[in-house]
């Protein structure tokens, strides 16, 4: 059985561990699809970030039975060709949860504790004990989304003695949320939000889900953070909400257009904090992704239950 | 019964609540000791930050039975005169725990996620996804101290899936510490520290407890944070450790000399982050302090058990 990997720079320690764990398989470690392409016709299993496949390559991969995608985004997968051949697809949905939850807490702590002003004081060599400090403890976080990322964020928020309110399509209650409600009921919870944290994927339903009216409902003290997808809300709506002091601050990791253009007004707005779509970046990413592969490979070999199986018709 | 307060700017809502709760007492709310002094001879209970008393004032306070200090620092209290008269002293030890623990997590998240570099990129309007990001999850925190502040910090660290190791005089095990050891055993735990967080009070035993040798034991990747007292370690020792890359970063909220002099080399060192002794500052401070007063007042009136009673001989 040939397992082909197109993942670049897999640490030697991981390769060794995987090979040692699955002695029955031959692993071919390639540096990207350019190198992997020549072996596709022999591979039964293909490990990829999911951005390098197309119909022609699927056609070439005569013996392919399982594609392990080491990513959560599936928009570039040629699902039609894959579905016709009944090739199994799994991904690593959920492994962004930990770094993204740490990002969210890190950023709201920075805003609450006025980190930008403190850095400025440090640069000025100025001792200043009058910079206002807020506490997370006792404040409310409204999370848009109740999936793995939102849930891990809610878990941390609860450790900080915050109240957590989750907004989802179903409104079903979930662990680490004190309350949950449906998208239609969102207007009832926004007025009590100190922090509104968006961790929604990009789907037709979430596209431009947030409008001017939602921001008008948030308290003037509230902080909006978006680490989901940039098309959740128009840039101009966020900018207006901040400039008209409908909210006190926006922390944005995702944007309608990425990279964010150099002349975008967000860059100049002091009450907007920008990070470059890095909330999910972590040195633990590749090790965790291969842990999912390892569990799935075990299941694959032993007819067990594999995790994160993708419905090739729906694409998620 | 007259209860005299010298606390400035007590919110009206708190005054009302306290008066309403204890109808049997007459409360005199004064703006500092200058205003309070004239009433001291009538007061049975005195509420103070503990920095405004002296032997002469204690002498004046003929009917005084209890001093409620809304602070944790007791170094300016005239304990001899107080002890001779058998006046009860209580303080609000422990109420700094929440903001200080949030400070600690906020600062180590900032260092782990390279917040200073990210702010610089934002100022340059530069999209940059190559800034290295670390995760707290899976890393080790060594806490110097296992008191209320260290314990609350350890609780939050554990929520971030960190391992917590407490160092104290007794080495006794305590909640939220995976391990504890004595000060004498500290050298055995420092080599595995990703974060060394000092939350020790200033006592003869902790004064200059940390030396060059301790920093030599910390890993080059480690971050040192001091939010206890500035005399835990000489400034020059920290500076050398950072400059010689024995540690990767120092976060300092307390200093041998405060305010930190404008020409101190710390200000210029990029790997030293300075805050102006503000880790304990919180808008919740006064409300929480009066909650302690309220519980103690209930106990005082009903011969119950009061909390945080100070031994006037030892001074803590």
């Amino acid at each position: 059985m040939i397992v082909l990997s197109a993942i670049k720079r897999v640490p030697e320690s991981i390769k060794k561990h995987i090979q040692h764990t699955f002695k029955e398989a031959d692993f071919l470690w390639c540096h990207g699809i350019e190198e992997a392409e020549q072996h596709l016709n022999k591979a039964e299993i293909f490990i990829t970030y999911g951005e390098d496949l197309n119909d022609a390559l699927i056609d070439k991969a005569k013996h392919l039975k399982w594609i392990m995608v080491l990513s959560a985004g599936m928009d570039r997968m040629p699902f039609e060709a894959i579905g016709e051949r009944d090739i199994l697809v799994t991904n690593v949905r959920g492994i962004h949860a930990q770094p993204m939850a740490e990002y969210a807490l890190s950023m709201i702590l920075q805003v609450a504790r006025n980190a930008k002003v403190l850095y400025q004081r440090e640069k000025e060599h100025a001792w200043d004990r009058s910079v206002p400090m807020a506490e997370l403890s006792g404040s409310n976080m409204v999370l848009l989304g109740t999936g793995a990322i939102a849930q891990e964020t809610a878990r941390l928020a609860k450790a900080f003695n915050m109240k957590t309110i989750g907004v989802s399509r179903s409104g079903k209650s979930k662990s680490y949320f004190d309350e949950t409600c449906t998208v239609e009921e969102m207007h009832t919870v926004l007025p009590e939000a100190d922090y509104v944290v968006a961790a929604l994927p990009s789907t037709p339903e979430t596209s431009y889900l947030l409008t001017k009216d939602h921001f008008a409902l948030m308290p003037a003290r509230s902080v909006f953070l978006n680490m989901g997808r940039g098309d959740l809300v128009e840039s101009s709506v966020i900018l207006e909400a901040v400039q008209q002091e409908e909210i006190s601050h926006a922390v944005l990791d995702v944007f309608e257009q990425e990279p964010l253009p150099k002349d975008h007004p967000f860059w100049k707005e002091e009450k907007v904090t920008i990070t470059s779509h890095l909330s999910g970046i972590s040195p633990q990413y590749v090790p965790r992704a291969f842990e999912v592969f390892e569990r799935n490979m075990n299941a694959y070999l032993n007819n067990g239950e594999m995790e994160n199986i993708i419905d090739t018709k729906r694409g998620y």
Side-chain angles (χ1 to χ4, degrees), chain A:
Chain A
M1 176 194 303
I2 287 176
V3 182
L4 178 65
S5 164
I7 306 298
K8 295 176 182 177
R9 288 176 290 275
V10 178
E12 284 306 316
S13 58
I14 291 180
K15 288 185 192 172
K16 254 194 189 161
H17 170 76
I18 292 285
Q19 267 156 348
H20 186 261
T21 309
F22 304 107
K23 293 205 185 69
E24 56 272 71
D26 293 314
F27 285 85
L28 299 175
W29 303 98
C30 295
H31 190 77
I33 191 69
E34 304 74 20
E35 219 182 286
E37 191 175 345
Q38 54 179 316
H39 304 295
L40 258 180
N41 61 336
K42 298 173 287 183
E44 178 171 334
I45 300 169
F46 183 50
I47 308 175
T48 166
Y49 281 129
E51 309 192 313
D52 49 11
L53 288 173
N54 56 38
D55 290 359
L57 288 169
I58 294 297
D59 198 47
K60 227 182 212 176
K62 293 292 173 216
H63 300 286
L64 197 61
K65 291 190 181 163
W66 169 30
I67 303 171
M68 172 78 219
V69 183
L70 299 194
S71 153
M74 312 289 290
D75 15 317
R76 299 218 219 151
M77 290 281 283
F79 277 122
E80 222 181 284
I82 291 168
E84 275 169 20
R85 292 261 310 279
D86 255 342
I87 297 168
L88 185 68
V89 178
T90 62
N91 74 359
V92 293
R93 190 174 55 219
I95 71 166
H96 297 85
Q98 208 140 27
M100 288 181 75
E102 289 196 12
Y103 170 86
L105 270 295
S106 171
M107 297 312 285
I108 68 172
L109 278 164
Q110 282 180 41
V111 176
R113 305 192 67 88
N114 252 314
K116 277 185 178 178
V117 178
L118 295 185
Y119 283 152
Q120 196 49 43
R121 293 293 176 275
E122 186 175 298
K123 277 196 177 165
E124 296 158 357
H125 301 193
W127 186 266
D128 180 0
R129 301 192 71 219
S130 70
V131 181
M133 293 286 124
E135 249 182 65
L136 298 193
S137 174
S139 60
N140 297 334
M141 183 187 281
V142 171
L143 291 119
L144 310 184
T146 60
I149 295 160
Q151 212 168 1
E152 176 65 5
T153 306
R155 188 186 67 76
L156 283 179
K158 286 206 63 65
F160 280 87
N161 302 318
M162 298 175 82
K163 182 179 168 186
T164 55
I165 303 158
V167 180
S168 67
R169 202 163 31 176
S170 71
K172 263 189 221 152
S173 72
K174 285 227 192 165
S175 304
Y176 308 117
F177 293 96
D178 293 310
E179 291 173 21
T180 45
C181 72
T182 63
V183 171
E184 289 71 33
E185 295 164 331
M186 182 168 30
H187 64 278
T188 64
V189 297
L190 288 178
E192 50 173 318
D194 296 294
Y195 300 93
V196 177
V197 172
L200 288 164
S202 178
T203 68
E205 286 153 319
T206 63
S207 181
Y208 298 103
L209 175 72
L210 280 191
T211 64
K212 222 170 132 68
D213 297 344
H214 293 108
F215 284 87
L217 287 169
M218 299 177 197
R221 67 176 185 276
S222 66
V223 175
F224 173 71
L225 183 150
N226 190 4
M227 58 177 176
R229 284 292 181 267
D231 64 358
L232 175 69
V233 47
E234 277 178 48
S235 297
S236 58
V237 168
I238 301 173
L239 202 63
E240 250 187 66
V242 164
Q243 287 172 343
Q244 294 179 7
E245 300 183 348
E246 289 183 331
I247 63 171
S248 71
H249 205 100
V251 176
L252 305 173
D253 191 49
V254 290
F255 303 89
E256 288 181 281
Q257 192 187 342
E258 292 184 13
L260 186 66
K262 226 175 160 84
D263 59 350
H264 197 285
F266 277 160
W267 290 113
K268 283 187 201 147
E269 188 54 59
E270 212 181 319
K271 291 176 201 153
V272 175
T273 295
I274 294 162
T275 54
S276 306
H277 204 148
L278 44 70
S279 66
I281 294 178
S282 163
Q284 300 304 316
Y285 189 87
V286 171
R288 279 192 195 124
F290 273 98
E291 281 169 22
V292 178
F293 167 73
E294 191 179 330
R295 290 197 298 271
N296 264 351
M297 182 74 174
N298 261 317
Y300 181 83
L301 293 172
N302 302 302
N303 289 315
E305 205 176 320
M306 293 174 73
E307 48 190 283
N308 299 342
I309 293 178
I310 303 304
D311 179 337
T312 53
K313 286 213 183 67
R314 292 191 307 167
Y316 60 88

